[in-house]
Amino acid sequence: MLKPETKRLLHVIWKLLPIGLRYRSDRREIRKADGKIRNPEKYARHAKKAVQSFIELGPAYIKLGQLLSVRPDLLPQPYIEEFAKLQDEVPPAPFGEVQEILAKDLGQIERIFDRFDQNAVTGASLGQVYRAKYRGRDVVVKVNRPGIREMVALDTKVLQRLVPLVGRFIDSSLRFTAESVVDQFAETVQEELDYKIEASHLLTIKRNLKSDRDVVIPDIFPEISTDRILVLEYLPGIKISDIEALDKAGVDRKKLARRVAKLFFKMLLSQDMFHADPHPGNISIAQDGRIALYDFGMTGSLDDQTRTLLIRFYTAIADYDASRLVDVMLELGVLQPLANRYVIRSGIELAFADMQGRKVEETEVKALMEIANRTIYQFPFKLPKNLVLYMRMLSILEGICLKLDQNFRFVKILGGLLEDEGLLKEAYKEDLKDALKKLGQAVDASIDVAPLLKTMLESRRTGALLGNESRRMRLFGSGMLAGLGASAVVASLFFLSTTPGKLALAGSLLLLVLAVVGSRE
């Protein structure tokens, strides 16, 4: 008899092998075409089959598919678009199985709740939600799906065993990325399954937003909540994707799109934690017009340094500065240190050329994802966990805002907020500091160059110098010119993507030419 893990591994391989073979073929075609999507219809068909297989494999793979939907380093754009449609909706388990969890953690529900509706409101891959009444207050009760922890633990082990096969049979360069994805999946899912962690996240974000009168977050009932059960205040409202109900209620959808975007950017730009799963089921408009947020199982955090780097990332895109963009990607840890900067910069410059004629603020997140897909898909690349959650949040939120307002431009809103908060100015200051630091390093490195060049020039005239003071002075001047020219050449290379940098390089070469001419008889 096979062990459960081996049995599950064989089943997963059987389901994923055809997907892997098609993906390998598609990946090779796209890489040969330098990242261009030559046959999007075929790739979309393959992606749909992949999504269906993930659904059939169960809850863990649904979660994995959602994380893959924001991995342009791993999936081509047609795959990303299909995986982005993957909904976390699974038919709820029978109440009898859920009741066992409730009884084990809380006791008999009849003695705790005034009323408990046994029909689940929603069923998701990791949990399901019920309506109840507790001490006269309407509440929602979120419960782990029966057996889900054991199922996730088993599938995590299976995925970890599959990682070496990805590198061996699809692309050896993918092994590192695949390991990163599986590790992030395991960490994210474990956090989502532990409702004590979710309760802590909710309280942190609620505390951070307590002065914001435009948002409401439900209260927690900690005395009847556990790591498998979370009881929250019931906050009724209109689902943000229910366009008909919003219009009927007289809600200005254009203003609502901007309110929602600004709320999430506020979490990103000025707070230590952000809601990373803003799908339509987690946002509604409360009866008093405030934005109600639910489900804090998936959250992310950005430290000040990462936040500043992301703003610098935006400014580099806004300025079409490929060289600066590569620098920021290296500092973010997105590119491996040994990656070929020149090749990556060239790829980004080609992508920028496709964008010319369109202002960055008129570009959607989807378009920026396509640019990323065209370039980083071909190079060694790694996305830290919180950047994955950041990209997921942006991608989902943009979809919501575009549904509310077809003319909504996410990047324009971001640019306006950054400018209003004075963060753009800070980002440019950081870019200047970085440039000055590199200039200093270039000058330091070139200190030894001037004496060496001077010595080389003087060595050709050693005998003559002993008897001719004028020649000595001329060669000394040539050596100084050579040193200055060499220093300037090294420094200008760091700014070669800009017009001043190109002019500086031309001037530096002219100094070297004058130095050589001056050294001649």
Side-chain angles (χ1 to χ4, degrees):
M1 295 292 290
L2 295 174
K3 292 181 180 180
E5 184 180 327
T6 304
K7 190 175 180 181
R8 178 64 170 168
L9 175 65
L10 293 174
H11 176 67
V12 171
I13 290 175
W14 174 257
K15 294 290 291 184
L16 295 185
L17 182 59
I19 295 170
L21 293 173
R22 285 191 289 264
Y23 167 71
R24 181 177 67 174
S25 174
D26 294 345
R27 180 179 175 84
R28 288 177 178 175
E29 282 183 16
I30 295 169
R31 293 189 72 173
K32 282 182 181 178
D34 295 325
K36 294 180 181 177
I37 307 298
R38 304 286 192 193
N39 198 340
E41 294 82 9
K42 181 179 78 170
Y43 304 148
R45 286 198 307 272
H46 293 171
K48 286 177 182 177
K49 291 177 181 177
V51 167
Q52 185 56 41
S53 294
F54 272 55
I55 292 171
E56 292 170 2
L57 283 170
Y61 288 86
I62 291 174
K63 280 293 175 186
L64 177 63
Q66 290 177 331
L67 290 177
L68 288 173
S69 70
V70 286
R71 296 301 301 242
D73 55 326
L74 194 59
L75 297 181
Q77 192 63 27
Y79 278 75
I80 286 175
E81 290 175 7
E82 291 302 323
F83 273 91
K85 300 173 186 176
L86 192 55
Q87 297 295 315
D88 190 15
E89 295 177 4
V90 180
F95 182 73
E97 297 176 19
V98 175
Q99 192 170 17
E100 291 179 15
I101 297 174
L102 292 165
K104 188 172 182 179
D105 284 21
L106 302 180
Q108 294 183 2
I109 58 174
E110 295 84 1
R111 295 183 178 180
I112 297 169
F113 296 97
D114 304 336
R115 175 181 56 79
F116 197 103
D117 188 345
Q118 298 184 8
N119 296 311
V121 177
T122 60
S125 57
L126 303 182
Q128 41 205 68
V129 177
Y130 297 86
R131 289 279 308 277
K133 189 176 282 289
Y134 174 70
R135 293 183 178 177
R137 294 184 65 180
D138 289 326
V139 297
V140 293
V141 183
K142 187 175 179 180
V143 189
N144 270 182
R145 178 173 284 274
I148 189 62
R149 296 191 177 201
E150 296 79 9
M151 192 183 305
V152 166
L154 177 61
D155 278 330
T156 300
K157 289 179 181 178
V158 167
L159 287 168
Q160 288 168 341
R161 289 178 65 179
L162 282 174
V163 165
L165 299 179
V166 171
R168 185 176 302 171
F169 294 108
I170 296 179
D171 190 331
S172 58
S173 66
L174 286 179
R175 177 164 181 170
F176 180 78
T177 306
E179 286 175 353
S180 171
V181 170
V182 172
D183 289 344
Q184 289 174 5
F185 157 79
E187 186 179 346
T188 302
V189 171
Q190 287 303 320
E191 287 181 0
E192 282 198 73
L193 283 170
D194 189 336
Y195 292 156
K196 285 186 177 179
I197 294 176
E198 178 174 347
S200 174
H201 292 168
L202 183 152
L203 291 172
T204 298
I205 293 177
K206 185 167 185 169
R207 182 173 60 252
N208 290 344
L209 294 174
K210 65 181 179 182
S211 61
D212 192 329
R213 297 181 179 180
D214 197 35
V215 62
V216 58
I217 293 172
D219 291 331
I220 297 175
F221 295 86
E223 69 276 14
I224 52 171
S225 295
T226 69
D227 64 328
R228 298 193 296 175
I229 301 168
L230 184 60
V231 183
L232 301 167
E233 171 191 11
Y234 173 63
L235 289 177
I238 302 172
K239 194 174 178 180
I240 200 164
S241 60
D242 192 343
I243 302 299
E244 185 178 345
L246 290 171
D247 288 343
K248 192 174 181 180
V251 175
D252 186 326
R253 289 192 278 116
K254 288 187 177 182
K255 287 184 179 179
L256 178 59
R258 282 148 185 77
R259 285 169 58 200
V260 172
K262 287 182 178 180
L263 171 61
F264 277 84
F265 277 132
K266 182 177 181 178
M267 287 186 268
L268 278 172
L269 299 176
S270 61
Q271 297 173 359
D272 57 357
M273 185 172 287
F274 63 89
H275 193 304
D277 193 22
H279 70 74
N282 290 340
I283 308 174
S284 71
I285 304 305
Q287 293 173 340
D288 59 5
R290 290 185 293 174
I291 300 169
L293 298 181
Y294 316 110
D295 194 346
F296 296 80
M298 191 181 292
T299 61
S301 60
L302 298 176
D303 56 58
D304 290 340
Q305 182 182 7
T306 302
R307 190 180 291 112
T308 300
L309 285 170
L310 285 172
I311 296 169
R312 288 176 60 195
F313 186 89
Y314 166 81
T315 61
I317 293 174
D319 295 338
Y320 294 111
D321 192 330
S323 183
R324 203 164 86 226
L325 191 60
V326 172
D327 287 341
V328 174
M329 290 168 76
L330 281 165
E331 289 187 64
L332 281 168
V334 167
L335 290 173
Q336 294 182 23
L338 297 178
N340 189 319
R341 286 172 54 95
Y342 175 77
V343 174
I344 295 173
R345 190 184 71 201
S346 299
I348 293 173
E349 285 173 345
L350 286 173
F352 278 160
D354 289 344
M355 282 180 66
Q356 295 296 340
R358 283 188 293 169
K359 293 181 180 178
V360 171
E361 62 265 22
E362 295 173 355
T363 304
E364 300 172 13
V365 171
K366 179 182 175 183
L368 294 178
M369 286 279 284
E370 288 175 358
I371 290 171
N373 199 247
R374 281 271 310 272
T375 53
I376 61 181
Y377 179 67
Q378 306 172 67
F379 306 114
F381 189 77
K382 178 181 74 171
L383 275 175
K385 177 193 170 188
N386 281 327
L387 289 188
V388 172
L389 294 176
Y390 167 81
M391 290 172 66
R392 172 180 167 79
M393 187 276 281
L394 287 185
S395 180
I396 297 173
L397 196 60
E398 186 193 39
I400 289 174
C401 292
L402 282 172
K403 190 169 184 180
L404 292 171
D405 175 14
Q406 292 181 351
N407 296 318
F408 180 86
R409 289 296 176 266
F410 215 85
V411 181
K412 185 176 182 180
I413 296 292
L414 173 59
L417 280 173
L418 292 174
E419 194 165 353
D420 292 344
E421 298 292 327
L423 293 169
L424 277 182
K425 191 178 293 184
E426 289 300 316
Y428 281 118
K429 283 182 182 177
E430 290 298 320
D431 283 331
L432 181 59
K433 286 180 186 177
D434 190 53
L436 290 174
K437 181 180 176 183
K438 288 178 179 174
L439 179 59
Q441 291 171 343
V443 171
D444 287 342
S446 63
I447 285 175
D448 294 330
V449 174
L452 287 172
L453 286 170
K454 181 173 176 287
T455 301
M456 179 186 73
L457 292 168
E458 289 179 342
S459 67
R460 299 172 55 191
R461 302 284 184 266
T462 302
L465 283 172
L466 294 173
N468 193 324
E469 185 67 23
S470 64
R471 286 180 181 176
R472 182 185 303 167
M473 293 300 295
R474 187 175 71 247
L475 288 173
F476 177 76
S478 298
M480 290 297 293
L481 284 175
L484 288 170
S487 300
V489 166
V490 174
S492 64
L493 290 175
F494 288 100
F495 307 96
L496 200 54
S497 62
T498 65
T499 300
K502 292 172 183 175
L503 292 173
L505 179 62
S508 307
L509 294 174
L510 180 59
L511 285 175
L512 288 175
V513 170
L514 291 173
V516 172
V517 171
S519 70
R520 292 179 177 176
E521 291 284 357

